[in-house]
Amino acid sequence: QVQLVESGGALVQAGGSLRLSCAASGRTFSSYKMGWFRQAPGKEREFVASISNSGRNTYYADSVKGRFTISRDNAKNTAYLQMNSLKPEDTAVYYCAAGPNYYSDGRLSPQYDYWGQGTQVTVSS
């Protein structure tokens, strides 16, 4: 079992930055692919970014590429999402997720076994 706790969500002005953190319990964090997803009101949950267990491979949704950076620190059992140049359309609840590393890009929700409770990000115009 892996428990995930997100933090770092806040209200920020357009153009600003935030860093989300996802702290994981358990000793097997380094074996999991990690992903970030988001869900805006009235919309389906969508993929944001993922990172392989080693951190060597990362993948991004086109909508955040060049603005967001996913990273991880396996020694701290923590994954991060650095979000720069935020836009109002980035407003959503952001979730981190952990899953088996054998999926190639981790873009699909069913590829993950564990989910956090979410953290709210609101970007004002």
Side-chain angles (χ1 to χ4, degrees):
Q1 286 282 347
V2 176
Q3 291 186 325
L4 304 173
V5 179
E6 302 96 334
S7 61
L11 171 63
V12 63
Q13 288 188 332
S17 298
L18 282 176
R19 188 176 81 155
L20 305 183
S21 298
C22 174
S25 65
R27 301 179 180 178
T28 58
F29 176 77
S30 61
S31 68
Y32 289 100
K33 178 186 294 292
M34 297 298 296
W36 286 96
F37 290 74
R38 67 187 182 187
Q39 187 167 19
K43 295 188 177 181
E44 293 187 353
R45 184 166 54 189
E46 64 174 0
F47 169 77
V48 175
S50 66
I51 187 167
S52 62
N53 64 327
S54 66
R56 189 175 301 124
N57 298 309
T58 58
Y59 302 90
Y60 296 93
D62 288 343
S63 59
V64 306
K65 200 172 295 182
R67 300 189 297 123
F68 291 11
T69 302
I70 189 171
S71 62
R72 66 190 298 160
D73 186 336
N74 286 343
K76 295 183 178 180
N77 279 12
T78 303
Y80 304 97
L81 185 68
Q82 177 67 44
M83 305 186 296
N84 299 329
S85 302
L86 282 162
K87 305 175 181 180
E89 50 264 43
D90 294 319
T91 294
V93 177
Y94 283 71
Y95 299 90
C96 69
N101 194 61
Y102 50 73
Y103 290 109
S104 60
D105 57 15
R107 292 178 182 270
L108 302 178
S109 296
Q111 295 172 351
Y112 296 88
D113 296 325
Y114 305 103
W115 293 83
Q117 82 290 347
T119 186
Q120 177 70 48
V121 172
T122 303
V123 184
S124 63
S125 57

